[in-house]
Amino acid sequence: MTRQKALILEIMRQQRPQHLTADEIFCHARQQMPHIARGTVYRNLKLMERDGEVAHLEMAGGPDRYDCNPIPHGHLLCDGCGELTDLPVVGLIREVEAAIGTEVRGYTLTIHYLCPHCRAKNAQ
Ligand SMILES: [Zn+2]
Ligand SMILES: [Zn+2]
């Protein structure tokens, strides 16, 4: 593993909120490795996606994001601030499988809501 790739993985696992865009990952990487090129970050993300180490999330109306958890899971998207958080949906997928009588081969699930922070702000 190259130093660049190790740094990218570390950023993706440690930054909160998670699910950064490629550009955000590049900005964090540059703080720790000032000479890293944008193209290096993008290329590494593509390779990691190909190897199944990270997942690539296509976002409607915004730049794509990267997920350090490549195991399928759903997401909660806050319509207020755009924060994306993981949502375990194993039970839901089981119910769908029971309903359709066959296995679910893959899914993309994004639930829109207002996060607790935005709800508190709206209530003021
Ligand atoms: Zn929010
Ligand atoms: Zn996720």
Side-chain angles (χ1 to χ4, degrees), residues 3-72:
R3 278 194 319 133
Q4 286 89 344
K5 183 175 158 184
L7 175 63
I8 290 167
L9 269 178
E10 189 190 300
I11 288 166
M12 291 181 70
R13 288 183 181 143
Q14 291 182 355
Q15 286 297 323
R16 294 291 179 280
Q18 286 188 326
H19 309 100
L20 301 172
T21 65
D23 237 28
E24 287 168 342
I25 293 168
F26 169 61
C27 288
H28 287 295
R30 205 170 43 176
Q31 284 166 18
Q32 294 180 58
M33 207 181 273
H35 298 295
I36 194 167
R38 186 184 297 259
T40 305
V41 171
Y42 279 62
R43 196 165 54 245
N44 270 284
L45 285 170
K46 284 261 174 296
L47 289 174
M48 287 152 70
E49 183 193 346
R50 189 200 62 192
D51 295 342
E53 291 173 286
V54 303
H56 178 205
L57 308 173
E58 284 184 30
M59 307 298 300
D64 293 353
R65 306 198 204 192
Y66 283 89
D67 196 332
C68 64
N69 178 8
I71 297 162

Side-chain angles (χ1 to χ4, degrees), residues 111-124:
I111 304 282
H112 291 252
Y113 83 139
L114 281 178
C115 74
H117 181 77
C118 288
R119 282 201 307 264
K121 217 163 52 183
N122 282 359
Q124 277 169 17

